[in-house]
Amino acid sequence: MSLLLILNIPPPYQGTTIMNQYLVDTLTEKNIDFIHLRINSGADLKALGKLSCSKLMSAFNIVKKIFSLKREYQVAYLVMSVEGFAFYRHLFFILLLLVLKKTCILHLRGLGFRHKKGTARLLTSFIFRKSYLVQHSALNSFDIENYTYKKLFYIPNGWPDYYYRHKEQVQGRFHSTSKELNIIFLSNLMAGKGLFTVTDAILQICSAGDCKDLKIKWNFIGNWESESIRLQFYDFIESNRLQSSLGHVGPLYNDEKYSLLANMDILLFPTFYKHETWGNVILEAMMFKIPVIATRYVAIPEMVKHNKTGFLIETENTEELVDKLKLLISNPALRKRMGCEGRKWYLENFTSDIFKTNMLHLFKTVSL
């Protein structure tokens, strides 16, 4: 009997859709019988959570297939959306699956269930009580502490190891005597990910002149959340005459992204995004021996070991970000030591093989 997956996959390219694609690929590799019903979530970030005719048609087609294929599966796996049209669409799918007496696994990759009220909370309580839940880490459990459920699993994301494709770049970075330093913000380019905390830090560092002996390039890799955020970013850069300090700005994918990332010296991820639960970009950085400065937020302290693989700071704290940045900028040996510790931590806990093993164990456990 097949496993039913009701999942959105790229595009758009974001943490959840990428991990969904990776899961589909993993099950295919392992020759596990599954049915994948793809949810239409829109072609870009602006469309996420918003209602459209194409999404309604997609939802209607999925409902038909849940019924028509009901004899071919017993266990259904969904990544539960938190708000907007997507939340109610998932609620409807899950209620329908429960009526058909199917076993449901709900992967909670976003935060916000603790804020549900009224009918939404009652329905969420009902489906959680009848389902198996998955979170990235116990550090995220505060979001569901007032709900009951069949069983809760903690499964951290894992990431494929591209280090050896770009090993020469990493080693070249470690042994370089160049006075150029590359710092990267790798995420969708949105305010909640700490974008403007980083731009404020750039201004302070460039204005202070403490690093005048170095040529620092600030790289921003990702898709823009909106046109207004893009304009706000460039208005700040131009009004403060920081254009010459910018490296690459905009999206990069797959090997093109990793070719750039392998040359980076520091990753910045000062997120305070309301739905953040993890941060795959931290795994990507640690994979390439890059020290990380990130916020002490949700499950991030499980990935970044403070003073060992990088630094943890408070959210929206530009001064703290500047202090930690100056420390790493001025100390190549510290960057190298933290980068090596980060790769070791990644290999021990967050590889794709570990993730595959944990997900397969989940499906086996629930199916017994």
Side-chain angles (χ1 to χ4, degrees), residues 36 42 71 142 209 277 283 286 342 352 361:
H36 177 205
R71 297 184 186 281
F142 66 90
T277 56
L283 305 187
M286 292 194 301
S352 56
H361 175 71

Side-chain angles (χ1 to χ4, degrees), residues 26-40:
T26 299
L27 294 176
T28 303
E29 277 176 26
K30 297 294 183 180
N31 294 315
I32 292 174
D33 194 16
F34 70 95
I35 301 165
H36 177 205
L37 304 183
R38 181 176 180 177
I39 297 176
N40 179 353

Side-chain angles (χ1 to χ4, degrees), residues 298-365:
V298 293
I300 290 172
E302 187 167 312
M303 288 179 281
V304 179
K305 311 313 286 183
H306 186 58
N307 287 329
K308 189 172 182 181
T309 67
F311 295 114
L312 294 170
I313 63 173
E314 297 305 316
T315 57
E316 299 183 87
N317 192 324
T318 302
E319 298 302 323
E320 200 176 0
L321 176 58
V322 169
D323 287 344
K324 299 307 183 189
L325 260 171
K326 286 182 177 178
L327 186 58
L328 285 176
I329 287 170
S330 63
N331 196 330
L334 179 62
R335 294 198 303 269
K336 182 175 181 179
R337 185 171 76 247
M338 285 186 161
C340 290
E341 287 289 342
R343 176 158 175 82
K344 180 181 176 185
W345 186 244
Y346 157 78
L347 290 172
E348 290 173 352
N349 297 278
F350 305 118
T351 65
S352 56
D353 285 341
I354 293 170
F355 174 74
K356 287 178 188 178
T357 299
N358 288 336
M359 289 301 295
L360 294 174
H361 175 71
L362 166 71
F363 294 137
K364 182 178 179 180
T365 301

Side-chain angles (χ1 to χ4, degrees), residues 164-175:
Y164 291 100
R165 288 191 198 176
H166 303 278
K167 184 177 179 180
E168 289 184 9
Q169 290 171 259
V170 177
Q171 291 179 332
R173 186 182 84 223
F174 276 174
H175 297 102

Side-chain angles (χ1 to χ4, degrees), residues 204-274:
Q204 287 194 33
I205 287 174
C206 291
S207 300
D210 294 339
C211 307
K212 60 185 177 182
D213 293 334
L214 285 172
K215 181 182 180 183
I216 301 176
K217 283 293 182 183
W218 305 86
N219 302 271
F220 293 82
I221 311 305
N223 286 297
W224 293 103
E225 177 186 16
S226 65
E227 179 63 11
S228 64
I229 293 294
R230 189 186 73 82
L231 291 174
Q232 187 179 343
F233 173 87
Y234 279 111
D235 283 347
F236 181 92
I237 295 296
E238 290 170 13
S239 63
N240 291 287
R241 300 179 180 180
L242 296 171
Q243 298 97 318
S244 63
S245 297
L246 289 186
H248 183 95
V249 179
L252 289 174
Y253 303 107
N254 303 321
D255 202 57
E256 192 176 17
K257 178 182 74 173
Y258 289 129
S259 290
L260 181 76
L261 183 59
N263 288 314
M264 296 296 107
D265 297 286
I266 303 168
L267 172 79
L268 306 181
F269 190 60
T271 183
F272 54 95
Y273 180 51
K274 65 180 180 178

